[in-house]
Structure formats: structure tokens, C-alpha cells
């Protein structure tokens, strides 16, 4: 059964074709904003870091991107001084994003990081490039008013990887409601002028009955003020009131591979922010999965979801990363070249891998939408699960340089990459005692005098 509905707000139009089946609720639609490229759903948003998708430049074709507001306190930040006209977005101008690309802004990075501090009645705990901090609701509203993203995700009283207690559950809905009302009031601004940003209201990852008061006010008092919903757990779809099922749903569930993507879509999610794509690129992995699969492997063995480009077996392999792939990397380069770049620690290696992996995701979601249209998604999903390994292959090489804001913070966490420099320790004393070698001394002599090491 297919039911066509349309959500139309002052800033966003969502045409939904909802397909029901015995085992899942599949949704296929079109998301439109004035002046932006129309996006077919289900779709994905590539997460950004410091204003751009890692490893690629802003002129790389994208339909949408996800931005994180890392620091909003203080009015002297350069981004707030970006010269724009009243209709333009300071955020878009500051990061030099193409005008037809959908720009979504959220308060936390994806995947989220467990913060050391706690949420309060007026703020949420976040990790920024400067360390752990608090983001006040009024600061967030002020930043959205100045930066004007296309879509903003509302604040939610949710702490990643922390199980809320009974008393905490009582506060979560009340705080989230208060912050959502603050954002609605801030976006409304002048009553005679339409808001520039569409608001996606949070659905908390708790039982519907535990947030019933918040949900009731969301569908009644705030009806028409919100344009979509943001989920922190795809299973929270069950908590969405029936009167709000026509709204687009964005999931921030932490997904580790394409099987997680298919699971989210089967639950009725429209937009996904998958961090595993960038993580695979950093690890030197080239994604190779396709959907749907026409026929199972002849040998009955599961296929890998990607290939490890660090493998020495690709040193002289002149074939493209994936046969039949039409991405820039596969059309112009071969595996041996990418393997050489990785070995030389050239940043072009990760640029080429990221372009390939994003193309694989584009084709993957094209296949998902086509499968939903033909009514074969459930059977196609089963074949995919039986044909591929459940997890991405392990990497055998170091990734690119990791900065603090790219790494999850945890106690006694091991280094992601080997230490590049070390203290000389006792070698400093040996060097001080040793006599300076003459220009005629060869490598063996330098080794004996502790001026060199044979490797």
C-alpha cells in the first residue's frame, strides 16, 4: 500500500511516498528547499570536519553536507564577521560551500563523543576543538540566527553512552521542550517574515510514555513550527506520533557499515549521517559493496565490503579499485598508484579514496531507492546480508595525521598512530661523550659511534 503525503512549511517541502509491508515501514520521498538541489530520500549526509568533508574540497560535487558548531561563545569569532547580504548564510560563505548544496547544522559531531561534564537546565555538554565545554541554548539560537543554515537540529537533553536514571528521565523531556521552544522563538523573529532555517525537533531515545508531555506539545502547540525530526536511535521511530509521521526523519544513530544503513532505512529513516565512510577512508579502505545484488556468489563465500589498499599485493596491480566503477579515482588511476601514495604518506591517497568511497555510497543509495520503488527491498536486503561480511575489513596501515577533535576521548586510550618522535633519553648522554666523526667515516663507523642505527 502506498500513501502519498506532502509536508510544506515556510522553508521546506517534503513529498513522501510511504510504503507499508508486513515487516518494515519503507519511505521514499523528495526533500526540497528554495535555491537548493532537490534531494531524493532515503539519502545520506557526509559529515564534515572544520567546515568541509574530510579530504575533499568544496568544489567536489555534493548534494548535502553536515556541519557541527564547535564554538559559539564570544562575538569576535571570524565566522560572525563574514560579510554577507541579509539573505545569505554566513556559514555558507565562510566555508565557501556551493549555493545549491543543502547545509545542515547540528550541535554535536557525528559520531558523538561522551562528554565529561553534564547537561544543565540551560546547556548541553559538548566536545569542541578546544576541549570539553557547554553549549547554552541561547548561544545556539543566536548562532543559528547569524549563520543561517538550511536546516538546524534542535538541542536534546541526551548524553551519549550514558544510561539515564529515573529522575533524569523526568527532566529530559522538560529540558528538550524548553530548548525547542527557544529555537522556535528565535527562528520566528519578525512575525511578518518567514524563517530562513528549517528546524528538525529531537525525538529522545526513551520510551514514548516517558516523553509523552513533550511529544503532545510538539504535535499540538509547535505544529507548523518544526519541519522535521531528528532521532538519536533509529528504534525511536516507534515514539513518533502518528500525526507527525509525514515529517522527514534524520537519524544520528552510530552506524558501522552498510548493514546498519539498511536496518535504519527498514525502520523508516529518511536521512542518515554515516561516519563509517570517512573512517574507512582514513584506514586506507576502498568500499566495494553494491545494492541490490543480482545473484549470490558462486562459491558461497561472503564477499568483503571493501579492500585494504595497504596490502602489498596491489604494488603492481594496474586495475581500477572496483571494476565498473565510474568515479574519478577508478576512471583515472589504478590500485598500484593509490597503494604507492599510501606508502609515501601522500595526502592525495586519502583524497582519491574519499572520492571513490563517496561515489560508492551515492550508487548504494540509488540502489536502495530503486529497490523500494520496485517493492523488493526486503528480499534485496536479505540477499545483501547473506552475500557480504557483516563488518568492514581491518586496516593494516596507519591513517593520516589525526588531530584532537577527530579522535574520541577516552581514559587510557592507546595511540591511533605510532609516535613520530621520541625523547633521546640515554642516547643524549652517549652523543655528548662521543667524539665527532670525521667526514671519511662510513655508515658502519657511524653505527659504532652511536651516530646512526642500521634498519
Amino acid at each position: 500500500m502506498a500513501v502519498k503525503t506532502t509536508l510544506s512549511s515556510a522553508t521546506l517541502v517534503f513529498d513522501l511516498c510511504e510504503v507499508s509491508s508486513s515487516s518494515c515501514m519503507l519511505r521514499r520521498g523528495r526533500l526540497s528547499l528554495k535555491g537548493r538541489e532537490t534531494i531524493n530520500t532515503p539519502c545520506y549526509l557526509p559529515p564534515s570536519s572544520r567546515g568541509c568533508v574530510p579530504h575533499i574540497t568544496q568544489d567536489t560535487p555534493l548534494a548535502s553536507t553536515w556541519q557541527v558548531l564547535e564554538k559559539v561563545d564570544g562575538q569576535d569569532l571570524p565566522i560572525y564577521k563574514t560579510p554577507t547580504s541579509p539573505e545569505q548564510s554566513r556559514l555558507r560563505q565562510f566555508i565557501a560551500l556551493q549555493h545549491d548544496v543543502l547545509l545542515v547544522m547540528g550541535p554535536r559531531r557525528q559520531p558523538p563523543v561522551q562528554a565529561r561534564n553534564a547537561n544543565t537546565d540551560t546547556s548541553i555538554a559538548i566536545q569542541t576543538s578546544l576541549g570539553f565545554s557547554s553549549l547554552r541554548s541561547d548561544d545556539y539560537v543566536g548562532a543559528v540566527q547569524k549563520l543561517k543554515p538550511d536546516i538546524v537540529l534542535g538541542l536534546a537533553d541526551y548524553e551519549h553512552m550514558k544510561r539515564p536514571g529515573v529522575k533524569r528521565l523526568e527532566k529530559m523531556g522538560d529540558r528538550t521542550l524548553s530548548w525547542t521552544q527557544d529555537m522556535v522563538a528565535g527562528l520566528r523573529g519578525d512575525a511578518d517574515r518567514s524563517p530562513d532555517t528549517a528546524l528538525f525537533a529531537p525525538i529522545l531515545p526513551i520510551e514514548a510514555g516517558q516523553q509523552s508531555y513533550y511529544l503532545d506539545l510538539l504535535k499540538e502547540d509547535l505544529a507548523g513550527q518544526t519541519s522535521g525530526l531528528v532521532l538519536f536511535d533509529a528504534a525511536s521511530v516507534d515514539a513518533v506520533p502518528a500525526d507527525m509521521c509525514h515529517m522527514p526523519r534524520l537519524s544520528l544513530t552510530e552506524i558501522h557499515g552498510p548493514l546498519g544503513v539498511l536496518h535504519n532505512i527498514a525502520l523508516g529513516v529518511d536521512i542518515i549521517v554515516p561516519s563509517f565512510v570517512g573512517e574507512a577512508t582514513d584506514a586506507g579502505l576502498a568500499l566495494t559493496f553494491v545494492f541490490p545484488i543480482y545473484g549470490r556468489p558462486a562459491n558461497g563465500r561472503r564477499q568483503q565490503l571493501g579492500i585494504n589498499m595497504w596490502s602489498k599485493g596491489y604494488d603492481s596491480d594496474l586495475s581500477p579499485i572496483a571494476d565498473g566503477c565510474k568515479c574519478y579515482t577508478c576512471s583515472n588511476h589504478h590500485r598500484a598508484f593509490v597503494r604507492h601514495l599510501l606508502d609515501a604518506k601522500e595526502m592525495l591517497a586519502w583524497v582519491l579514496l574519499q572520492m571513490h568511497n563517496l561515489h560508492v555510497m551515492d550508487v548504494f543509495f540509488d540502489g536502495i531507492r530503486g529497490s523500494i520503488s520496485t517493492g523488493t527491498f526486503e528480499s534485496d536486503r536479505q540477499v545483501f546480508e547473506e552475500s557480504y561480511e557483516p563488518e568492514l575489513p581491518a586496516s593494516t596501515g596507519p591513517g593520516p595525521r589525526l588531530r584532537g577533535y577527530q579522535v574520541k576521548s577516552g581514559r587510557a586510550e592507546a595511540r591511533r598512530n605510532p609516535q613520530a618522535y621520541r625523547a633521546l633519553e640515554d642516547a643524549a648522554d652517549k652523543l655528548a661523550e662521543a667524539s665527532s666523526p670525521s667526514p671519511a667515516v662510513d655508515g658502519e663507523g657511524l653505527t659504532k659511534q652511536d651516530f646512526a642505527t642500521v634498519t
Side-chain angles (χ1 to χ4, degrees):
M1 178 182 68
V3 181
K4 292 185 178 181
T5 59
T6 299
L7 167 72
S8 181
S9 66
T11 56
L12 178 147
V13 176
F14 184 56
D15 296 314
L16 174 67
C17 179
E18 187 172 294
V19 182
S20 301
S21 71
S22 59
S23 60
C24 60
M25 179 68 72
L26 300 174
R27 297 157 59 94
R28 179 175 51 85
R30 291 169 62 88
L31 186 67
S32 305
L33 282 87
K34 183 179 180 181
R36 306 290 178 254
E37 182 178 346
T38 299
I39 297 177
N40 295 313
T41 64
C43 67
Y44 76 102
L45 300 178
S48 71
S49 175
R50 292 299 185 91
C52 65
V53 178
H55 308 303
I56 62 175
T57 57
Q58 301 292 47
D59 59 347
T60 302
L62 292 172
S64 55
T65 185
W66 160 277
Q67 302 291 325
V68 177
L69 192 61
E70 290 192 326
K71 181 175 173 58
V72 296
D73 52 327
Q75 302 301 313
D76 296 329
L77 298 177
I79 191 171
Y80 290 150
K81 298 180 179 181
T82 305
T84 59
S85 64
E87 295 79 19
Q88 290 179 317
S89 163
R90 280 193 174 90
L91 177 57
R92 185 180 297 274
Q93 292 290 104
F94 187 76
I95 64 176
L97 188 66
Q98 302 169 54
H99 291 289
D100 59 344
V101 176
L102 180 67
L103 179 59
V104 182
M105 189 175 81
R108 288 192 176 100
R109 69 191 64 223
Q110 182 68 6
V113 175
Q114 182 178 0
R116 302 298 177 86
N117 46 332
N119 297 345
T120 69
D121 290 341
T122 59
S123 66
I124 65 168
I126 61 173
Q127 186 197 27
T128 73
S129 57
L130 302 178
F132 292 107
S133 183
S134 295
L135 174 60
R136 291 177 53 86
S137 175
D138 53 354
D139 287 335
Y140 190 50
V141 173
V144 172
Q145 290 173 330
K146 294 182 179 70
L147 301 180
K148 295 182 180 179
D150 296 323
I151 295 175
V152 63
L153 308 187
L155 295 182
D157 187 24
Y158 160 69
E159 296 181 346
H160 181 59
M161 297 181 65
K162 291 184 180 180
R163 185 181 181 88
V166 177
K167 294 183 178 179
R168 181 85 169 76
L169 289 172
E170 298 175 357
K171 295 181 180 180
M172 292 175 69
D174 294 339
R175 287 176 174 175
T176 304
L177 173 62
S178 175
W179 297 337
T180 303
Q181 290 172 331
D182 290 345
M183 184 61 73
V184 167
L187 293 177
R188 187 183 302 152
D190 187 351
D192 298 329
R193 185 170 178 268
S194 298
D196 299 300
T197 300
L199 171 62
F200 276 36
I203 300 296
L204 296 169
I206 56 178
E207 298 293 334
Q210 297 170 331
Q211 54 181 324
S212 57
Y213 178 70
Y214 163 63
L215 294 176
D216 289 342
L217 291 181
L218 191 62
K219 68 179 181 180
E220 295 172 2
D221 294 5
L222 299 179
Q225 307 296 324
T226 56
S227 302
L229 304 172
V230 54
L231 311 173
F232 300 92
D233 185 345
S236 301
V237 167
D238 293 337
V240 177
D243 296 342
M244 304 177 72
C245 283
H246 61 290
M247 304 177 74
R249 305 164 181 171
L250 186 151
S251 174
L252 296 182
T253 305
E254 191 167 355
I255 297 174
H256 301 287
L259 293 180
V261 172
L262 297 176
H263 175 69
N264 273 250
I265 292 172
L267 292 175
V269 170
D270 302 303
I271 307 172
I272 293 172
V273 187
S275 59
F276 74 86
V277 181
E279 292 170 354
T281 299
D282 288 346
L285 303 179
L287 304 179
T288 56
F289 54 83
V290 294
F291 184 92
I293 297 177
Y294 299 102
R296 293 174 173 81
N299 57 11
R301 297 178 59 184
R302 291 177 182 264
Q303 303 178 54
Q304 293 289 342
L305 294 169
I307 57 178
N308 177 18
M309 294 306 301
W310 285 100
S311 173
K312 291 186 178 297
Y314 301 128
D315 282 346
S316 57
D317 190 341
L318 302 183
S319 60
I321 291 177
D323 292 333
C325 180
K326 293 180 171 54
C327 75
Y328 172 85
T329 304
C330 292
S331 299
N332 294 275
H333 304 289
H334 45 67
R335 295 181 179 183
F337 180 63
V338 177
R339 170 70 179 86
H340 160 71
L341 293 175
L342 285 172
D343 196 46
K345 307 297 189 298
E346 286 284 354
M347 62 182 179
L348 179 59
W350 291 282
V351 173
L352 295 177
L353 281 174
Q354 185 78 313
M355 295 179 72
H356 168 79
N357 289 341
L358 290 176
H359 177 79
V360 169
M361 290 297 293
D362 290 341
V363 175
F364 180 62
F365 272 87
D366 283 342
I368 290 173
R369 290 188 291 268
S371 180
I372 294 175
S373 299
T374 58
T376 60
F377 178 83
E378 293 180 75
S379 58
D380 290 340
R381 177 189 174 196
Q382 182 178 357
V383 172
F384 186 91
E385 292 177 350
E386 294 173 354
S387 301
Y388 282 103
E389 294 289 346
E391 299 179 354
L392 292 169
S395 173
T396 57
R401 177 188 175 194
L402 295 176
R403 297 169 177 83
Y405 60 85
Q406 294 175 301
V407 181
K408 288 187 178 183
S409 179
R411 295 181 179 178
E413 186 176 277
R415 290 181 180 272
R416 297 292 184 90
N417 287 340
Q419 189 174 358
Y421 303 98
R422 62 180 179 82
L424 291 175
E425 300 172 350
D426 60 329
D429 297 333
K430 293 181 179 179
L431 289 174
E433 297 173 357
S435 58
S436 299
S438 67
V441 176
D442 57 12
E444 184 178 353
L446 291 175
T447 301
K448 292 179 178 179
Q449 292 182 265
D450 291 325
F451 276 93
T453 301
V454 176
T455 58

